[in-house]
Amino acid sequence: MIMKKQIHRITLAVCMIFCVVLTSCASKPQKNKYSAYSMDYFDTVITIVGYENTKEAFDAVADEILSEFAEYHRLYSIYHRFEGLENLCTVNELVDGAHRTVTVDRRIVDMLLYAKEMYTVTGGMVNIAMGSVLSLWHSYRELGQDNPAEASLPPLESLKAAAEHTDISKMVIDEQNGTVTLTDPAMRLDVGAIAKGYATECVARSLEERGITGYVLNIGGNVRTIGGKPDGTPWTVGIENPSDEEYLAYMQLSGESVVTSGSYQRYYYVDGKPYHHIIHPDTQMPAEGFVSVSVICKDSGLGDAMSTALFCLSQENGLALVESIPGLEAMWVTDDGVRTVSSGWNLYVKK
């Protein structure tokens, strides 16, 4: 995973315009708005905004949030090993030409099981077993970004050969013993379509279980609100317009998540044509037709997976999928700027 665009153009901007003064009870301490930032985890910018009585109280919560993200970052990393820890990087490693059976943290098991569920729900459009294909694109994209004059596409024959090793059924999970085994030596996991949103949801639920509310987490554009503002009003979240400084829409959220997948977020040029990072599992090439797909739902993990799946599905099939899942809404923006929304999307639009 690499940084999405520039820091000041995160996919989704949390737009909080006014500091709220609690007036319902004059004797209660006033809550003020505070914010904290980090660039240490998930190769992106983490922004935490929340209301507390004091900065010290906010800092304590923010430190807990970042500590949890640090743990998920280490567990779900596919690029880095950490001393004394079995993570997804070690699951992907080969020993004497084969993957070994790796005993992992329960949080890895749970995320992988959820990823398998999303594979089924999306008809294979979200497949964490595509690491062999995605690693090719990752290598060529990094080379093209660092050396534009040498930019090229992965050979189609190499992509097709890698696609022969993306059978998710060959990821064997033993829940009882907490182990993961990849039975295909050429198979690799890539959880970029789900891990960040899944981790965000886990952190948000941890806050909710402790009765903490009045916060927004923005993890590189995966926005999760925890309750509304202290005065009961919702948060206003802007959905970025890739072709304009104005936002596509302003959404009002109180406890929901909004996630966008876009062709403008991570890409490189070959012979003057951009090639983005959302790879269609059937063609092994960047998915075509949309410039962005935004999803609103309660669960940030579901939102992360669905924004990717809907980017790869036809609009007709994607809309049918959205309408079949309660509490899920979406907006599609085609390459020529046409917007389509699901039946309940406008319920969240700021009037």
Side-chain angles (χ1 to χ4, degrees):
M1 296 178 284
I2 59 177
M3 187 77 67
K4 289 185 177 180
K5 296 186 72 179
Q6 300 176 9
I7 295 175
H8 69 285
R9 284 182 62 83
I10 295 174
T11 311
L12 300 167
V14 181
C15 303
M16 291 149 288
I17 302 172
F18 300 104
C19 291
V20 176
V21 178
L22 298 182
T23 58
S24 59
C25 180
S27 63
K28 291 184 179 180
Q30 174 179 316
K31 285 195 172 185
N32 297 308
K33 185 181 71 174
Y34 302 98
S35 58
Y37 307 90
S38 173
M39 296 176 60
D40 295 332
Y41 313 118
F42 289 96
D43 296 316
T44 193
V45 182
I46 295 177
T47 304
I48 303 166
V49 176
Y51 284 88
E52 290 290 353
N53 294 327
T54 65
K55 187 176 186 302
E56 290 73 20
F58 171 81
D59 287 343
V61 175
D63 287 345
E64 292 176 4
I65 291 171
L66 292 176
S67 178
E68 288 192 59
F69 274 115
E71 292 185 33
Y72 286 110
H73 169 79
R74 289 191 291 266
L75 290 170
Y76 297 161
S77 175
I78 64 171
Y79 297 114
H80 304 289
R81 294 192 60 165
F82 297 90
E83 185 175 354
L85 178 69
E86 298 280 24
N87 64 356
L88 291 184
C89 183
T90 62
V91 170
N92 276 338
E93 287 178 344
L94 294 174
V95 178
D96 296 328
H99 296 291
R100 61 189 176 91
T101 296
V102 183
T103 302
V104 297
D105 188 284
R106 181 69 204 191
R107 288 168 290 183
I108 290 180
V109 171
D110 289 342
M111 189 272 289
L112 295 181
L113 289 172
Y114 188 73
K116 291 190 76 170
E117 179 186 347
M118 289 298 99
Y119 176 87
T120 300
V121 170
T122 64
M125 292 297 105
V126 175
N127 183 7
I128 64 168
M130 282 186 62
S132 55
V133 173
L134 298 179
S135 64
L136 279 172
W137 278 105
H138 177 81
S139 297
Y140 276 77
R141 185 169 59 249
E142 284 204 326
L143 176 63
Q145 290 172 333
D146 294 340
N147 302 284
E150 299 179 23
S152 62
L153 298 179
L156 187 57
E157 58 271 21
S158 298
L159 292 171
K160 295 296 183 184
E164 296 297 318
H165 304 283
T166 59
D167 182 354
I168 199 171
S169 69
K170 294 184 178 180
M171 177 181 69
V172 179
I173 301 172
D174 184 334
E175 289 189 67
Q176 183 174 353
N177 293 310
T179 63
V180 180
T181 311
L182 306 183
T183 60
D184 178 353
M187 178 176 160
R188 288 188 61 189
L189 300 181
D190 187 312
V191 295
I194 198 168
K196 186 172 63 172
Y198 184 89
T200 300
E201 185 61 26
C202 289
V203 173
R205 290 186 184 185
S206 175
L207 294 173
E208 291 171 339
E209 288 168 1
R210 288 179 285 154
I212 296 174
T213 189
Y215 276 75
V216 174
L217 309 179
N218 186 343
I219 317 304
N222 286 51
V223 176
R224 173 64 151 83
T225 60
I226 297 123
K229 295 180 182 180
D231 65 351
T233 60
W235 300 94
T236 299
V237 179
I239 297 182
E240 186 182 14
N241 186 340
S243 62
D244 199 308
E245 292 300 321
E246 295 294 326
Y247 289 103
L248 287 170
Y250 290 100
M251 316 307 293
Q252 294 194 309
L253 307 177
S254 296
E256 295 84 14
S257 177
V258 60
V259 183
T260 294
S261 288
S263 62
Y264 58 92
Q265 296 170 348
R266 207 184 315 164
Y267 59 91
Y268 74 115
Y269 285 93
V270 178
D271 296 329
K273 180 179 178 180
Y275 290 85
H276 62 79
H277 73 293
I278 305 172
I279 306 304
H280 197 293
D282 293 340
T283 66
Q284 291 79 56
M285 296 294 291
E288 297 180 337
F290 304 114
V291 66
S292 71
V293 177
S294 300
V295 170
I296 290 177
C297 59
K298 171 65 176 176
D299 188 317
S300 189
L302 177 65
D304 210 358
M306 284 296 163
S307 66
T308 298
L310 298 177
F311 203 98
C312 294
L313 289 166
S314 69
Q315 191 165 288
E316 179 182 5
N317 291 338
L319 183 58
L321 177 60
V322 170
E323 299 293 358
S324 73
I325 300 176
L328 181 68
E329 304 298 340
M331 176 177 68
W332 294 258
V333 182
T334 63
D335 291 335
D336 55 4
V338 177
R339 305 179 197 178
T340 302
V341 300
S342 58
S343 60
W345 175 268
N346 288 329
L347 296 175
Y348 294 97
V349 175
K350 184 176 182 180
K351 304 298 189 291

